[in-house]
Amino acid sequence: MAKATFNVTAESAGMRSDIKAGKHTIIIDEPASMGGKDTGADPLSTMLASLAGCENVIANFVAKEIGFDLQGMSFTITGELDTRGLMGEEGVRPYFEKISIQALVKTTESNERIQELKEMTDKRCPVYTGFKAAGVELLTEWKKA
């Protein structure tokens, strides 16, 4: 089995982290209301963005494999969590409780084929399956754009 290793480095000051991922820089910060300067997306929004990006990449791999006419996708993803957990309250989990994913698929394919693409993508997406393994409730809806 082929294994891949992914590495990032981060330099942090205050709430801001400048993260290097290969030749790319990602800035993660918090809004002023959370003590940051709002110079980048917050970490939780970045996690949801990673989910959208990963689902798109895997969907493109799968579409190629099954001969699916994938012309593009757009995602709306919403995550819900109880902030008391990340603020340190015992007994409250500090990660997402529920994530809703709505995908609009630009295609000439049928709704049945869209659902086939969705199911195959969700089974293979490392970010999606990571959330699932953590017990996050995942509500997904893929439909034709």
Side-chain angles (χ1 to χ4, degrees):
M1 176 191 307
K3 292 194 178 198
T5 302
F6 295 83
N7 295 300
V8 299
T9 59
E11 294 292 327
S12 301
M15 294 287 189
R16 178 181 167 142
S17 294
D18 290 83
I19 300 160
K20 296 282 187 193
K23 63 181 180 177
H24 305 284
T25 300
I26 303 162
I27 297 171
I28 296 180
D29 198 357
E30 288 286 345
S33 63
M34 293 291 290
K37 295 184 178 166
D38 204 22
T39 59
D42 64 87
L44 295 171
S45 295
T46 304
M47 285 181 71
L48 298 178
S50 293
L51 175 58
C54 193
E55 287 269 280
N56 175 63
V57 167
I58 299 301
N60 274 274
F61 288 155
V62 171
K64 191 175 204 178
E65 290 170 12
I66 66 172
F68 185 99
D69 174 35
L70 181 57
Q71 300 167 10
M73 299 181 76
S74 61
F75 291 91
T76 301
I77 300 178
T78 304
E80 295 178 18
L81 64 83
D82 186 334
T83 58
R84 295 175 301 161
L86 64 92
M87 298 308 280
E89 187 167 322
E90 289 294 322
V92 180
R93 71 187 212 189
Y95 56 93
F96 289 114
E97 296 173 0
K98 177 169 48 171
I99 297 174
S100 300
I101 306 162
Q102 294 180 336
L104 294 177
V105 183
K106 296 174 191 146
T107 185
T108 58
E109 301 279 357
S110 69
N111 286 328
E112 291 78 19
R113 287 274 286 167
I114 292 171
Q115 294 316 303
E116 177 186 7
L117 178 68
K118 174 200 162 307
E119 289 172 19
M120 293 178 76
T121 298
D122 289 347
K123 283 173 104 174
R124 290 172 51 178
C125 175
V127 178
Y128 183 95
T129 56
F131 282 126
K132 188 174 181 177
V136 176
E137 180 182 2
L138 295 161
L139 306 172
T140 60
E141 178 185 26
W142 286 31
K143 59 185 180 181
K144 190 179 278 198

